[in-house]
Amino acid sequence: MLLKIIRYIKGYIRIRITGYSTERFLNACSHRGILLWGLEPVNRAYEMNIETRGFKQLKPIIRKTGTKVVIVGRFGLPFFLHKYRKRKLFFAGAFLCVAMVFLMSRYIWNIDIQGNLSYTDDTLLRFLESTEVVNGMRVSEVDCARIVKDIRKEYNDIIWVSASIRGTRLIIQVKENEDSLPAMDAAIPETGGEENGAGQAMDIVADQDCTITKIVPRNGVPMVKEGQQVKAGDILVSGQVPVLDDAGTVTAYQYYEADADIQGRTFVEYQDAMDLTYVEKEYVDVEKMEYSLKIGDYYFRFGSIRNSYEAWEMNGYEKQLCIGENFYLPVTYGRRTAKPYRPLEKKYSKKELQRMLSASFQRYCKDLDKKGVEIIENNVKIYTGSDKAEAKGRLTVLTPIGTPAQSQLSEAPVIEEQEETGE
């Protein structure tokens, strides 16, 4: 590639050689150090490329070998400039274009924010604007270290920030704290009778009213039995394990993080509704277009999307001009299209309503199944009224029950020793 560029800058000529001594011609060129390349046979002749300097040295070789040389084409920058030498405006425009690109490269024309989840680009761009970091500022004025410090100071849940300049882009990468809930330290079982494990006992409590159908404890003391009805907030498995003496008296508690598989039977109310009518769009064979061009802070619009219709759809795009991957320019072009339509009110048939409500209910059931909920009885029915259709009813389900909760620590009873006295 580099060799092709060098040859293009120097310029070269494509020639055709005919005669009885073409081999002597090639040997003579090699002997005198004249560079030839791209040799191809063409109709009892040979075509090849030669440098302009080497072409000027061919006259004695042609006379000596008795060959004939014809120029097929001239290529390269010198011949291009010679061909358009009278077009001064063209070269002036090319020079001005190069100068403008060089000038634009000294400014930031695109601020790209990556990695943000809870904060939108507009929110962060407004904050950067308040700190005088905006499109159009000089590259030399960008203080990446200060940008990182300001963002970290303003947003506590952004735990890592990186700012760098590539071409005319300011790239800001952020990483947010994704841990929305505090981590829970695992409870360490106590082996002694003392309460030095206090504060680590965790119970499992009911998160809804239900009837317990299965309980398989792995850690802790079960507080309910199968078939028992419980209410939300009731303790199902306690993380406090009592320590008994030989007489069966509680002398202390050991604290654990309760763990168990618990299933309960409960009821889920389901309701979904949809209107009997819907709006269908009848598109008109008319389309309005508007082109836009933004240079810096100046907007230029061509065409119009104005129309006399009451309803229309509009879509469009805007794209910033970019050379390569990182060399953005302060030029944005775009297009907006307005497509008018007439809204027509139509009514669903009874079969369509049943099909759509049933499909919505099936999706709901699949979501329950993914959560480990088993439907054992389905009493959901579809009702059609004067203005809407409803699917409502009650589901009887078997669902996982229980959520962790901090245990209210119990105190072991104090046993007083009585001293016996003899007479």
Side-chain angles (χ1 to χ4, degrees), residues 143-395:
D143 188 348
C144 293
R146 182 179 67 84
I147 293 173
V148 170
K149 184 178 179 181
D150 290 344
I151 295 177
R152 289 287 304 277
K153 184 177 179 181
E154 180 69 17
Y155 302 99
N156 294 328
D157 49 350
I158 293 181
I159 58 177
W160 179 82
V161 185
S162 171
S164 60
I165 298 174
R166 297 179 188 173
T168 58
R169 295 174 69 196
L170 173 60
I171 301 177
I172 298 176
Q173 297 174 309
V174 301
K175 182 174 178 58
E176 301 175 3
N177 186 5
E178 300 177 0
D179 299 331
S180 57
L181 297 175
M184 183 183 299
D185 294 334
I188 303 176
E190 299 294 333
T191 57
E194 298 180 357
E195 296 183 0
N196 52 6
Q200 294 182 356
M202 297 293 295
D203 296 337
I204 298 178
V205 301
D207 51 2
Q208 56 184 304
D209 298 349
C210 68
T211 301
I212 301 299
T213 58
K214 184 181 73 171
I215 179 167
V216 181
R218 285 190 291 270
N219 210 10
V221 179
M223 307 299 291
V224 296
K225 298 179 180 179
E226 293 183 3
Q228 182 176 341
Q229 293 185 353
V230 297
K231 294 184 177 180
D234 290 351
I235 298 176
L236 305 179
V237 180
S238 174
Q240 303 180 59
V241 179
V243 178
L244 308 178
D245 59 11
D246 294 339
T249 304
V250 178
T251 60
Y253 287 95
Q254 293 180 342
Y255 302 123
Y256 297 89
E257 183 177 347
D259 185 19
D261 290 333
I262 309 173
Q263 189 180 64
R265 185 177 69 251
T266 186
F267 302 101
V268 177
E269 300 294 335
Y270 176 83
Q271 185 172 4
D272 187 19
M274 61 181 298
D275 294 332
L276 299 182
T277 60
Y278 65 98
V279 175
E280 185 178 272
K281 299 176 182 179
E282 184 183 48
Y283 291 98
V284 182
D285 193 16
V286 175
E287 196 173 69
K288 297 285 187 176
M289 286 190 180
E290 181 184 83
Y291 297 90
S292 63
L293 178 66
K294 182 182 178 183
I295 304 177
D297 295 330
Y298 298 95
Y299 252 109
F300 303 93
R301 300 187 184 277
F302 311 94
S304 175
I305 58 173
R306 294 181 180 178
N307 59 82
S308 58
Y309 292 89
E310 294 182 359
W312 67 87
E313 287 183 352
M314 186 171 66
N315 56 70
Y317 67 90
E318 277 194 350
K319 190 173 182 180
Q320 189 173 359
L321 192 61
C322 177
I323 302 175
E325 182 180 358
N326 297 313
F327 198 91
Y328 282 83
L329 298 176
V331 179
T332 304
Y333 62 92
R335 185 185 71 180
R336 291 195 301 172
T337 303
K339 196 169 185 179
Y341 65 88
R342 297 186 185 94
L344 302 177
E345 186 174 299
K346 293 193 174 183
K347 191 174 183 179
Y348 289 113
S349 66
K350 189 174 181 179
K351 289 185 177 180
E352 288 177 326
L353 290 170
Q354 291 178 345
R355 178 178 54 81
M356 296 171 71
L357 289 172
S358 297
S360 179
F361 178 68
Q362 292 300 324
R363 289 193 296 268
Y364 177 77
C365 293
K366 287 182 179 180
D367 291 339
L368 290 180
D369 184 62
K370 291 179 181 178
K371 297 176 182 178
V373 180
E374 179 185 354
I375 300 174
I376 59 177
E377 187 175 349
N378 177 8
N379 291 319
V380 177
K381 297 181 180 179
I382 297 176
Y383 303 90
T384 304
S386 58
D387 57 347
K388 65 179 180 179
E390 287 184 302
K392 59 182 180 180
R394 172 181 284 190
L395 298 173

Side-chain angles (χ1 to χ4, degrees), residues 59-122:
K59 193 172 183 179
I61 297 176
I62 295 172
R63 188 185 310 114
K64 185 176 181 180
T65 58
T67 54
K68 183 179 180 181
V69 176
V70 177
I71 296 177
V72 177
R74 298 177 175 87
F75 307 94
L77 184 61
F79 299 108
F80 176 80
L81 296 177
H82 179 77
K83 181 179 180 180
Y84 297 102
R85 63 187 181 279
K86 295 182 179 180
R87 300 186 180 182
K88 298 179 181 179
L89 290 178
F90 171 79
F91 291 105
F95 175 78
L96 181 62
C97 180
V98 173
M100 287 293 293
V101 170
F102 176 76
L103 180 63
M104 296 296 180
S105 66
R106 305 177 69 85
Y107 294 85
I108 295 294
W109 298 116
N110 179 266
I111 300 177
D112 185 14
I113 301 176
Q114 304 173 358
N116 51 316
L117 299 175
S118 59
Y119 297 102
T120 63
D121 289 353
D122 290 338

